[in-house]
Each structure stands twice: as structure tokens, then as C-alpha cells.
Amino acid sequence: MSERRSTALKFPSVEWFRALQELVNEDEEFRRLGSIDAVMGIKVGERVFVINFEAFECTEVTEGTEYDLIDADFYLEMTVEQWQDLVTNTRENNGADLSHTLNTLDLMIEGGISDNATGDQLRADVFFRVNQSLQHFFDSSARLETVFE
């Protein structure tokens, strides 16, 4: 990965996710991983973020509500502390170590981290089909200077 961005951003925030959006949209490796058409929800405690991917880029990041998860293909949910652990580990290791990958967390955290608000298994399976791109998306956060609320 290339150099880190020095402006500190709060996690969780729209600004943090938009900085991540900018990083992956500039990243040739992200495009090499293949097309990703998905709407991903992120739950950090009570906060909800919606992230859209179309073709080879991240097209939109918004803050939403629990109701917005109905329109997501899947959402990732962890406690504030678990998200902070993931972001910190990713930064310290220039990408998630094996115990902090999205796949590992989905298997190790009781109930998993991925879900679908409508019970639509085909949409929920998008998480597994595009997992490598999602992992790269979150691994890119190692380049962000992050502070926590």
C-alpha cells in the first residue's frame, strides 16, 4: 500500500468511509479484483452507514437508519469495540491479520457479522461472492489516520 493520509478522521463517520471510498477508487488493485455490484450496510453500535459499489468503484457513502438496511444486499454488524479493534489491527498490520479478516470475524463472532435485513439469502450471499473486494476496501483503511469517538 502507498503512503498514509495524515489528516485524522473520526471512526465511525461518513467522512471516514468517504476517505476510504476515495482511496479504493484511486486503487488499480481494487479494480483488478473484479466488478462489484452491491449495496453494503455497516452497523457500528447504533449508527448505520450505506455504501454502494457499482462495477469497479465505490459510488456512494451515506449515513442512514436501521430502515435503510432493508435496501442493502447485506450488512456488517459489530459492536463499537469490535469495529475499533478491526480498524486498529488493520492499521497496525497494514491490512487485517488472519484473525481480523471479514471471513474470520464472520465465523468467530457469535451470530456472524454479515446479515440481510429481509431474509433474502441470494442477496446475503453477495457478501461471500465479493468478499475479496470488501476485504481490500477495509484493508485500505490502514492508510487513514483514524481517531475514535
Side-chain angles (χ1 to χ4, degrees):
M1 289 192 185
S2 56
E3 67 188 55
R4 291 190 172 150
R5 303 218 172 175
S6 60
T7 304
L9 298 165
K10 279 188 185 175
F11 180 89
S13 69
V14 169
E15 293 76 20
W16 190 89
F17 283 109
R18 285 187 179 153
L20 200 50
Q21 172 189 20
E22 184 180 311
L23 289 174
V24 298
N25 287 346
E26 296 171 353
D27 187 348
E28 291 288 326
E29 182 60 27
F30 185 74
R31 285 188 286 289
R32 267 195 284 275
L33 292 171
S35 179
I36 174 174
D37 291 304
V39 177
M40 172 177 65
I42 302 289
K43 284 187 72 177
V44 183
E46 297 299 315
R47 294 186 70 185
V48 172
F49 300 89
V50 179
I51 301 172
N52 293 305
F53 296 93
E54 294 177 17
F56 298 96
E57 65 181 7
C58 178
T59 58
E60 185 177 27
V61 173
T62 58
E63 186 156 6
T65 66
E66 189 95 19
Y67 183 77
D68 293 314
L69 296 176
I70 292 169
D71 294 326
D73 292 306
F74 61 90
Y75 63 92
L76 305 180
E77 178 178 16
M78 291 190 286
T79 66
V80 172
E81 295 79 16
Q82 289 166 328
W83 278 109
Q84 287 179 359
D85 183 47
L86 171 66
V87 171
T88 300
N89 176 273
T90 299
R91 182 162 170 87
E92 289 173 351
N93 293 292
N94 203 26
D97 68 15
L98 292 179
S99 64
H100 288 83
T101 66
L102 298 177
N103 265 341
T104 298
L105 294 172
D106 196 50
L107 292 170
M108 302 306 289
I109 293 177
E110 186 175 337
I113 65 168
S114 67
D115 203 351
N116 175 275
T118 64
D120 183 336
Q121 191 59 50
L122 288 176
R123 289 176 69 200
D125 284 346
V126 171
F127 168 73
F128 300 101
R129 290 195 305 269
V130 298
N131 187 270
Q132 190 173 5
S133 295
L134 297 176
Q135 188 63 59
H136 188 83
F137 179 79
F138 283 103
D139 282 351
S140 297
S141 72
R143 294 173 47 202
L144 299 178
E145 183 70 37
T146 302
V147 294
F148 300 104
E149 291 186 333

